[in-house]
């Protein structure tokens, strides 16, 4: 069964500092990997995804993530945090080869930005 | 195009009452998912449909929960009878060819409080 583990339920950084949110996955086959963002009182929206090809994926709002098969990781980064980045971030995984179409979400990491 | 529309946005009810949550997916999308979000358990997949047919309901907590999708533009999630532990935010999400795109489009959620 596939799963994702997000290290750290809460991360706090200063405005302008590097953002690093960690995600490790477990999958027996090359997975599809995603990062979603949830702003207060809203649904989740896709930030970026990795399916095949280039392992460094760029998303919206200056975020990017790198798929590292050897480390089974898909960490999310942004060079310089902005106040508007404060939200909850979810890593997710799916198995593209499966007849099922489930996307499994991690437990989420709440990102706070200090002025 | 309008996004996924859920109603009601907020529902407060008493234990034992029937609750019906509604979802209108994005037109043309062939997959519909119901998720539940709580602080304790995070984001849980309850059930998903493909072309209006339930594919996997293994996440439905118990027989008190039921979901239907009578047509491509409407789905309901019903809880009868409701219990305080059902209090959560329920999200509906839709997708087009999720096995290829992997992207879910979420509604804004229905926040349920059972007293």
């Amino acid at each position: 069964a596939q799963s994702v583990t997000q290290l750290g339920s809460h991360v706090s950084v200063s405005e302008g500092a590097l953002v690093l949110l960690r995600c490790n996955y477990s999958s027996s086959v090359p997975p599809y990997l995603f990062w979603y963002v949830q702003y207060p009182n809203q649904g989740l929206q896709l930030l970026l995804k990795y399916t095949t090809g280039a392992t460094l994926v760029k998303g919206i709002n200056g975020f990017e993530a790198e798929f590292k098969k050897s480390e089974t990781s898909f960490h999310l980064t942004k060079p310089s945090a902005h106040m508007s980045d404060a939200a909850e971030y979810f890593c997710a995984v799916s198995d593209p080869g499966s007849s099922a179409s489930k996307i499994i979400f991690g437990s989420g990491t709440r990102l706070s930005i200090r002025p | 195009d309008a996004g996924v529309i859920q109603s009601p946005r907020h529902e407060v009810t008493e234990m034992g009452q029937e609750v019906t949550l509604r979802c209108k997916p994005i037109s043309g999308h062939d997959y519909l998912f119901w998720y539940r979000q709580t602080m304790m358990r995070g984001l849980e997949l309850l059930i998903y449909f493909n072309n209006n047919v339930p594919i996997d309901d293994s996440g439905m907590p118990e027989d008190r929960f039921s979901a239907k999708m009578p047509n491509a533009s409407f789905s309901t999630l019903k809880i009868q009878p409701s219990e305080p532990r059902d209090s959560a935010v329920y999200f509906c999400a839709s997708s087009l060819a999720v096995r290829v795109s992997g992207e879910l489009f979420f509604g804004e959620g229905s926040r349920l409080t059972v007293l």
Side-chain angles (χ1 to χ4, degrees):
Chain A
Q2 296 178 306
S3 65
V4 288
T5 301
Q6 293 184 240
L7 301 176
S9 60
H10 184 209
V11 170
S12 179
V13 302
S14 297
E15 191 174 18
L18 171 72
V19 175
L20 171 61
L21 304 183
R22 300 177 187 274
C23 173
N24 288 89
Y25 69 90
S26 172
S27 177
S28 58
V29 298
Y32 286 178
L33 294 161
F34 313 86
W35 277 98
Y36 280 78
V37 60
Q38 183 180 28
Y39 297 103
N41 300 314
Q42 294 186 25
L44 284 70
Q45 57 182 284
L46 184 68
L47 202 55
L48 51 79
K49 66 180 179 182
Y50 168 79
T51 53
T52 58
T55 57
L56 181 62
V57 180
K58 295 185 184 299
I60 61 174
N61 301 336
F63 284 93
E64 62 182 36
E66 186 171 10
F67 171 59
K68 291 187 176 181
K69 184 178 178 181
S70 61
E71 299 177 7
T72 62
S73 69
F74 191 59
H75 301 332
L76 181 70
T77 60
K78 181 174 180 177
S80 177
H82 191 273
M83 295 299 291
S84 60
D85 295 327
E88 185 137 19
Y89 293 80
F90 293 88
C91 183
V93 64
S94 73
D95 174 6
S98 170
S99 58
S101 299
K102 293 181 180 181
I103 295 181
I104 305 301
F105 287 86
S107 55
T109 297
R110 182 168 299 279
L111 177 64
S112 299
I113 312 297
R114 301 188 299 271
Chain B
D1 187 13
V4 175
I5 300 172
Q6 292 187 244
S7 65
R9 289 294 312 278
H10 301 274
E11 173 96 3
V12 180
T13 190
E14 294 188 344
M15 182 174 62
Q17 296 298 306
E18 178 179 293
V19 173
T20 299
L21 308 178
R22 298 172 177 80
C23 175
K24 176 179 170 54
I26 293 173
S27 176
H29 281 191
D30 55 351
Y31 283 85
L32 185 139
F33 300 78
W34 282 101
Y35 284 88
R36 177 172 69 175
Q37 186 178 38
T38 61
M39 289 290 291
M40 292 298 294
R41 300 174 69 91
L43 202 60
E44 303 173 276
L45 176 63
L46 300 178
I47 184 172
Y48 76 92
F49 297 82
N50 178 217
N51 293 321
N52 313 338
V53 176
I55 303 300
D56 186 344
D57 65 355
S58 61
M60 295 286 261
E62 48 198 275
D63 292 345
R64 298 185 296 107
F65 286 69
S66 62
K68 294 182 179 180
M69 192 166 186
N71 57 62
S73 59
F74 184 66
S75 177
T76 60
L77 178 68
K78 186 174 292 187
I79 308 172
Q80 166 63 20
S82 58
E83 297 182 3
R85 59 192 169 123
D86 302 330
S87 298
V89 181
Y90 292 82
F91 286 103
C92 175
S94 70
S95 179
L96 179 62
V98 66
R99 287 183 61 198
V100 175
S101 72
E103 181 172 2
L104 301 180
F105 293 82
F106 282 79
E108 294 188 317
S110 294
R111 181 176 296 275
L112 173 64
T113 302
V114 183
L115 304 175

